[in-house]
Amino acid sequence: MSVSDDQIAHALELFDGVAPLTTRKMMGGLCIYSDGVIFAIIHGDHGIMIKGKGDFVTELEGMGCTRWTYTRDRGAKAGGPTGMPYWTLPDSAQDDPTAASALARRALTFL
């Protein structure tokens, strides 16, 4: 499923506090960058997701965020789960630009 113009506009509004923002459509989704560093994506099935690394992962999990995983369909690890470095936004940040931008800035400190 591809992302809609409305989803893109909403994400850019949420992360306006970490401008300058740029985007790039990839694999049916959209990557969101600040100063050339990817910190979030819009996934067609999972919505807006923020990149997690290091201790920030523990923080995201503590907020109830879930990691994007999928099942490999080929190769030596076919049938096994694969985790991507992206987590759902917590409910508190879904419609709050201040909270979403704060999470983005936090993510960028680990990237």
Side-chain angles (χ1 to χ4, degrees), residues 21-77:
L21 297 175
T22 55
T23 63
R24 182 175 178 202
K25 289 187 177 184
M26 295 177 68
M27 300 172 281
L30 184 87
C31 299
I32 305 171
Y33 302 80
S34 177
D35 281 330
V37 178
I38 184 171
F39 69 91
I41 63 171
I42 305 175
H43 185 279
D45 294 329
H46 304 293
I48 300 170
M49 305 190 86
I50 194 148
K51 193 167 189 176
K53 189 173 181 182
D55 291 338
F56 187 50
V57 169
T58 304
E59 293 176 40
L60 291 170
E61 291 172 345
M63 290 183 260
C65 303
T66 56
R67 188 175 188 180
W68 170 23
T69 60
Y70 70 96
T71 302
R72 289 179 180 252
D73 60 0
R74 49 188 134 120
K77 297 182 181 180

Side-chain angles (χ1 to χ4, degrees), residues 10-19 21 32 39-40 48-51 56 60 63 88-108:
H10 177 68
L12 294 178
E13 181 181 314
L14 280 178
F15 296 125
D16 187 53
V18 291
L21 297 175
I32 305 171
F39 69 91
I48 300 170
M49 305 190 86
I50 194 148
K51 193 167 189 176
F56 187 50
L60 291 170
M63 290 183 260
T88 56
L89 281 181
D91 290 341
S92 60
Q94 292 287 336
D95 292 308
D96 183 348
T98 301
S101 290
L103 284 171
R105 283 189 296 276
R106 185 80 176 122
L108 286 162

